[in-house]
Amino acid sequence: MTTPFLSVERLSQRYPDGEGGQTTIFENASFGIERGEFVVILGHSGCGKSTIMNILAGLAEASEGVVIMDGKEVSGPSLDRGVVFQNYSLLPWLSALKNVTFAVAARYPDWSKDQVLSHSKKHLEMVGLSADVFHRKPSQLSGGMRQRVSIARAFSISPKLLLLDEPFGALDALTRGTIQDELLKVWAGTNQTVFMITHDIDEAILLADRILLMTNGPFARVAESVEITIPRPRNRIEIVEHPNYYAIRNHLVQFLGKHSKELAGPTDAVENRPETVRIDKTAPAARSPKKLAV
Amino acid sequence: MTDMSVNKRAAILSFILLIGGLLLWEAAIPGQKAVGELTEYERLTGGGAQKAGVPPPSQVLEKAWEQLSDPFYDAGPNDKGIGIQIGYSIYRVLAGYFLAALIAIPLGFLIGMSPVAYKALNPFIQVLRPISPLAWMPLALFIIQDSETSAIFVIFICSIWPMLINTAFGVAGVRKDWVNVARTHELGALRTAFMVILPAAAPTIVTGMRISIGIAWLVIVAAEMLVGGTGIGYYVWNEWNNLDLTSVIFSILMIGVVGMALDAMFGVLQRFVVYSE
Ligand SMILES: Nc1ncnc2c1ncn2[C@@H]1O[C@H](COP(=O)(O)OP(=O)(O)OP(=O)(O)O)[C@@H](O)[C@H]1O
Ligand SMILES: [Mg+2]
């Protein structure tokens, strides 16, 4: 087996529990992400998704284990890993445009001012923002526009890995839908590797190549890796008619509703690798995966 | 529309209060005079040598007109125009204030960024901060041996604390997500300080600067009463010694006006750096 583009190897995170002891958030978690892959991680609140993401971003350090990206160990944040946080990732004293230009200027220090400006504007337009909002401060933008700016900024620096922590968590369903479409459109043109956290099962199916499922904490682990066997380009209306859609959705709901609790707790394994689950009703020898409740 | 009318109504009310207050004051003066002798009142309005008694507003206005029409005359050490006196005071305030800012803001940055520096310096700050600035005066006069520099030192010491504490507080309180934005974009320490931490903490820092300039202006009047020579504080004290209450009242008003102007300047600066999330 060749090593994937991003390889997470036996990652553990422990925090002091405030009573002199330690709580283990997750232990010996291992998984990989291929180049150009869109991976979404699903799990209950508090299982450690953000913790994993911060480690991938280099913003936090794991208690044990390593993350290897493109053959190099991740240590500290870098422009190679772009991050979109759920909130506050825009600097409120800068205009929408300046929030992007400062990133572009940091990424491409020898570009001229005009190059930086046109590159930034191009990316803001790509996420559906019009020129009349470029000079507004984040506080003068709607939540959806703000998140568009964050996404534009993240894509504008073309990181090797894009990390999204519940980017649409604070948005209403309608806005969520349009921005998901925008994200898919921008992503399709770049072949960017994406690692995204969400709470929304439908969003995960629409966007992902693969969904990682986490069990509940403490001692959470990435238990399954579910392939999304629905061809691209996808679209929110047609996707529900695909024969695999409800099968996959059911599997995810079952996992989050039942298995995530049943499978919780520490294991003896030296390494917790997710089990690959492939659900494909269209394949000639369609067979329910063993974990799918019948 | 409603907003306009609120402003208008407030302006009219302010004006009525001013006129009413002045009339009441004017009317109250002869009543007091009646205890003494009426002829003195005549002499007072005649502008002759003044004795005791609170002057009416008409006299204060007259004085204001006289002083403000030639604010910069200089007729010896005890007879300088109000403009010159205020100029001296402002010079001392600004000199002490900017020296304080020069030290307080970088030091506040350090304290805000480093928990070790914060813990190490905190006991000193806590002990030094509650000391009345004027309590430093004798020591300053003894060590510096110069009343002018001592006054500036007192301004320095009184304006350093709000700026230091607010800077440290603002810097320490910068949202972690913003610092993370800087980190993920690989901004160096210096660029993070100037592009993220300074603008994020600027409203708190400017609030500290505004508090400091207010305190400095309060303290300079008292300091100049002690050290003497020049300045608006000395002028008030000198006119009191001359029993020229008209000048005393006029200079009190001028102290208020200058203080208001200094504060307004920082109000403008504050509006410039403020941001909403
Ligand atoms: N600095 C810390 N010290 C102690 N415990 C922490 C710390 N940071 C996170 N935790 C704990 O780690 C666990 C995982 O937190 P994390 O933020 O990764 O959850 P999450 O899966 O992202 O949840 P959500 O979906 O609600 O965002 C939580 O139980 C949290 O209490
Ligand atoms: Mg989270």
Side-chain angles (χ1 to χ4, degrees):
Chain A
M1 201 176 93
T2 55
T3 47
F5 166 66
L6 179 91
S7 170
V8 175
E9 289 168 16
R10 301 188 58 193
L11 211 61
S12 304
Q13 185 62 285
R14 296 175 228 282
Y15 287 120
D17 63 2
E19 293 162 8
Q22 281 196 320
T23 33
T24 301
I25 310 301
F26 48 83
E27 199 171 43
N28 295 325
S30 297
F31 60 90
I33 297 177
E34 297 300 335
R35 199 185 289 275
E37 212 180 7
F38 198 128
V39 174
V40 169
I41 191 160
L42 271 175
H44 283 276
S45 185
C47 67
K49 304 181 295 295
S50 297
T51 309
I52 290 184
M53 214 199 74
N54 284 333
I55 294 168
L56 295 187
L59 291 169
E61 232 172 282
S63 309
E64 290 145 40
V66 287
V67 177
I68 294 167
M69 187 176 86
D70 220 5
K72 272 196 299 255
E73 190 179 331
V74 165
S75 72
S78 138
L79 281 161
D80 284 339
R81 276 160 279 121
V83 193
V84 173
F85 301 95
Q86 179 170 354
N87 281 319
Y88 309 126
S89 61
L90 297 180
L91 303 175
W93 53 89
L94 296 181
S95 68
L97 182 60
K98 289 229 170 94
N99 261 289
V100 180
T101 52
F102 100 87
V104 174
R107 175 71 179 189
Y108 307 104
D110 21 284
W111 278 15
S112 72
K113 262 211 168 97
D114 285 345
Q115 262 176 310
V116 169
L117 207 63
S118 66
H119 185 79
S120 307
K121 285 181 174 167
K122 189 182 90 193
H123 279 84
L124 283 169
E125 277 157 9
M126 256 158 58
V127 294
L129 290 170
S130 53
D132 59 309
V133 301
F134 287 4
H135 297 284
R136 286 203 220 153
K137 298 275 163 71
S139 61
Q140 299 160 323
L141 299 174
S142 72
M145 289 168 165
R146 273 183 242 180
Q147 221 38 299
R148 281 188 167 97
V149 178
S150 312
I151 291 169
R153 180 174 69 191
F155 276 95
S156 72
I157 61 170
S158 327
K160 287 182 181 167
L161 174 66
L162 186 55
L163 299 160
L164 309 168
D165 189 351
E166 289 188 53
F168 313 130
L171 305 179
D172 64 280
L174 283 175
T175 315
R176 214 173 231 264
T178 33
I179 302 190
Q180 284 164 1
D181 291 342
E182 233 111 53
L183 177 64
L184 269 183
K185 216 169 60 203
V186 178
W187 175 73
T190 58
N191 220 12
Q192 180 82 56
T193 313
V194 182
F195 181 81
M196 169 168 159
I197 299 174
T198 180
H199 274 128
D200 184 333
I201 292 178
D202 296 300
E203 176 173 286
I205 300 174
L206 175 69
L207 299 174
D209 292 317
R210 206 146 56 82
I211 296 178
L212 298 177
L213 293 170
M214 276 184 93
T215 62
N216 295 358
F219 292 97
R221 60 207 167 80
V222 181
E224 289 188 10
S225 159
V226 182
E227 284 181 36
I228 307 303
T229 47
I230 301 173
R232 294 184 192 268
R234 299 176 193 155
N235 134 348
R236 99 189 41 267
I237 299 153
E238 286 160 16
I239 195 176
V240 295
E241 282 159 18
H242 194 275
N244 290 344
Y245 184 82
Y246 280 103
I248 292 171
R249 193 175 192 285
N250 270 340
H251 181 81
L252 299 177
V253 171
Q254 290 284 336
F255 182 94
L256 292 174
K258 229 166 63 190
H259 303 312
S260 67
K261 213 176 312 152
E262 290 166 4
L263 295 171
T267 59
D268 300 328
V270 285
E271 185 172 60
N272 293 310
R273 260 192 197 279
E275 187 179 342
T276 302
V277 175
R278 184 179 169 86
I279 302 168
D280 195 352
K281 301 273 188 202
T282 58
R287 198 175 53 88
S288 306
K290 65 176 197 295
K291 303 192 95 196
L292 185 61
V294 189
Chain B
M1 180 65 213
T2 12
D3 196 46
M4 260 302 284
S5 80
V6 166
N7 281 344
K8 253 188 205 160
R9 273 185 290 166
I12 292 168
L13 190 61
S14 288
F15 189 71
I16 291 172
L17 283 174
L18 176 69
I19 297 296
L22 288 178
L23 283 176
L24 218 66
W25 176 9
E26 185 84 46
I29 304 303
Q32 271 185 2
K33 283 287 152 300
V35 186
E37 28 179 301
L38 256 152
T39 48
E40 191 181 27
Y41 180 62
E42 310 279 340
R43 275 196 288 139
L44 275 170
T45 45
Q50 293 161 355
K51 288 280 165 281
V54 177
S58 52
Q59 240 180 69
V60 176
L61 281 175
E62 206 175 304
K63 183 86 193 172
W65 178 254
E66 174 197 321
Q67 282 282 348
L68 292 177
S69 52
D70 184 17
F72 297 109
Y73 76 88
D74 189 349
N78 274 335
D79 192 11
K80 293 189 201 319
I82 188 83
I84 290 182
Q85 304 289 19
I86 288 177
Y88 274 114
S89 299
I90 291 179
Y91 155 69
R92 286 177 191 134
V93 162
L94 292 186
Y97 179 81
F98 280 112
L99 277 175
L102 222 57
I103 291 177
I105 294 173
L107 195 62
F109 239 82
L110 182 72
I111 294 174
M113 299 275 264
S114 146
V116 177
Y118 172 79
K119 287 223 162 92
L121 289 171
N122 194 39
F124 298 103
I125 296 173
Q126 294 309 330
V127 170
L128 294 176
R129 190 173 61 113
I131 299 171
S132 163
L134 292 175
W136 292 98
M137 189 60 100
L139 194 63
L141 282 170
F142 177 75
I143 293 174
I144 303 172
Q145 303 265 328
D146 175 59
S147 63
E148 175 81 28
T149 322
S150 298
I152 292 174
F153 172 77
V154 165
I155 295 304
F156 166 81
I157 206 85
C158 79
S159 41
I160 199 165
W161 309 116
M163 284 195 272
L164 183 66
I165 290 165
N166 270 48
T167 305
F169 187 74
V171 167
V174 173
R175 194 164 259 136
K176 199 131 186 283
D177 307 66
W178 299 336
V179 179
N180 281 344
V181 167
R183 292 179 64 200
T184 53
H185 290 91
E186 291 184 42
L187 301 186
L190 215 60
R191 295 187 70 199
T192 303
F194 281 101
M195 285 185 66
V196 177
I197 299 186
L198 189 63
T204 322
I205 296 174
V206 173
T207 302
M209 296 175 81
R210 198 171 176 181
I211 296 171
S212 279
I213 198 80
I215 293 177
W217 187 245
L218 288 180
V219 167
I220 194 64
V221 175
E224 284 169 347
M225 284 180 176
L226 280 179
V227 296
T230 47
I232 189 73
Y234 167 74
Y235 179 81
V236 173
W237 201 248
N238 197 37
E239 295 307 320
W240 157 241
N241 284 335
N242 295 341
L243 280 179
D244 182 356
L245 281 174
T246 318
S247 290
V248 168
I249 292 173
F250 167 65
S251 45
I252 287 174
L253 288 175
M254 287 311 292
I255 291 171
V257 169
V258 173
M260 188 177 77
L262 287 173
D263 187 66
M265 268 162 41
F266 281 87
V268 171
L269 185 60
Q270 203 160 34
R271 230 173 305 139
F272 185 70
V273 298
V274 84
Y275 58 85
S276 61
E277 287 168 33

